[in-house]
Amino acid sequence: GESVGLHLPTLSVQEGDNSIINCAYSNSASDYFIWYKQESGKGPQFIIDIRSNMDKRQGQRVTVLLNKTVKHLSLQIAATQPGDSAVYFCAENIRGGSEKLVFGKGTKLTVNP
Amino acid sequence: EAQVTQNPRYLITVTGKKLTVTCSQNMNHEYMSWYRQDPGLGLRQIYYSMNVEVTDKGDVPEGYKVSRKEKRNFPLILESPSPNQTSLYFCASSGAADTQYFGPGTRLTVL
C-alpha cells in the first residue's frame, strides 16, 4: 500500500550544526506535504509545509525540499539548537489540504551541547 | 488563544467499559481528526470529519465511533474498549486546505 517513511530513525548532531531529516513517500498523487515536530509529552506541532508545485520552501531556520522525481522530502534545520531536540514527522496528503494525512514513523533528533 | 483541547489527558479503564474522549477547538475549523500514536507505528488516523454531520473512516477505525453534532466538538467514543486500544490519542483540526493543529494528547490504558 501507499506509505510515507523515513530513512533514518535517529539523528544526533552537535549544537550549531545543520540537520537534515529525510523522508520518502510512495504515493505519486500526493500533492501536499507537512513537517511536524513533536516534543516529549506534547502533540505534533506544525513546522513547515510545501505543495507539489514547489521544489523548495524556506521558513525561519528551516527549509523543506521536495524532489518529486524520486519521491523524496527533506527538512533542513540551520544552526540546530538544543530546543530542536524532538521527533520529526513528515506527512503527505493527496487532496491538497490536510484533513487526511498519512504520517511517517518519525525521526528522533538529538542535539548535543 | 487558538487551541485544541482534549479531556481527559490521562485515563485508566477496564475492558468493556464505555468511554468518551472529548475534543474541542476554538478556531472555527471545519476539519477535525482523531489519531492514535503507538511506538514504532507513528500516527495513524482513526476518523475524520469534514464538517458538521460529515464523518469518514481513517486508516484504523475499528472499535471506535465519532460524532460531529457541532462544529467545535468531535468526541471519540470507545463502546467496548479492549487492551489493544491502549495508546496515545490526538485530536486535530484544520481550516480548509490548511495545516492541522493538534491537541495535547490523551493517554489511555485499557486493563
Side-chain angles (χ1 to χ4, degrees):
Chain A
E2 304 289 359
S3 65
V4 175
L6 293 173
H7 294 310
L8 297 173
T10 62
L11 178 64
S12 184
V13 300
Q14 292 298 123
E15 182 177 358
D17 287 351
N18 296 332
S19 302
I20 300 176
I21 301 172
N22 296 304
C23 176
Y25 66 95
S26 58
N27 190 335
S28 57
S30 295
D31 59 4
Y32 180 60
F33 305 88
I34 309 175
W35 279 101
Y36 284 92
K37 171 187 180 183
Q38 186 176 22
E39 297 175 277
S40 180
K42 297 183 179 180
Q45 178 185 5
F46 170 84
I47 301 174
I48 192 168
D49 61 1
I50 188 168
R51 299 199 180 273
S52 59
N53 60 352
M54 302 173 69
D55 297 322
K56 178 180 180 179
R57 192 167 188 213
Q58 289 183 291
Q60 186 177 14
R61 284 200 307 117
V62 295
T63 300
V64 55
L65 298 177
L66 176 62
N67 186 330
K68 294 181 286 294
T69 301
V70 295
K71 298 189 186 72
H72 185 265
L73 192 69
S74 68
L75 176 70
Q76 300 177 0
I77 305 174
T80 315
Q81 303 169 359
D84 294 328
S85 294
V87 176
Y88 290 81
F89 296 93
C90 66
E92 64 177 325
N93 181 282
I94 62 173
R95 303 179 194 178
S98 65
E99 71 275 12
K100 191 177 190 306
L101 295 175
V102 175
F103 285 82
K105 292 183 173 50
T107 291
K108 182 177 182 180
L109 174 66
T110 301
V111 182
N112 301 308
Chain B
E1 179 188 358
Q3 60 182 353
V4 178
T5 57
Q6 297 177 225
N7 282 292
R9 294 290 313 280
Y10 303 90
L11 179 60
I12 299 174
T13 189
V14 296
T15 298
K17 186 176 181 180
K18 180 179 178 180
L19 67 92
T20 299
V21 183
T22 64
C23 173
S24 183
Q25 51 93 5
N26 62 0
M27 295 169 278
N28 201 36
H29 284 164
E30 293 180 343
Y31 304 109
M32 298 186 74
S33 303
W34 274 104
Y35 296 86
R36 61 178 289 173
Q37 186 174 35
D38 303 288
L41 297 176
L43 282 155
R44 294 179 293 169
Q45 191 177 53
I46 302 170
Y47 269 95
Y48 66 100
S49 169
M50 296 173 68
N51 213 326
V52 175
E53 302 293 359
V54 180
T55 63
D56 204 352
K57 295 178 180 179
D59 299 314
V60 288
E62 294 77 22
Y64 303 95
K65 286 175 58 178
V66 293
S67 68
R68 188 89 183 274
K69 292 184 170 59
E70 50 191 339
K71 201 171 188 179
R72 63 181 293 124
N73 296 323
F74 190 44
L76 180 69
I77 304 158
L78 284 72
E79 295 273 4
S80 182
S82 62
N84 65 11
Q85 292 178 298
T86 292
S87 188
L88 180 59
Y89 291 86
F90 288 101
C91 180
S93 74
S94 64
D98 197 2
T99 188
Q100 293 195 15
Y101 296 90
F102 283 80
T106 294
R107 186 165 292 281
L108 172 65
T109 301
V110 183
L111 302 175

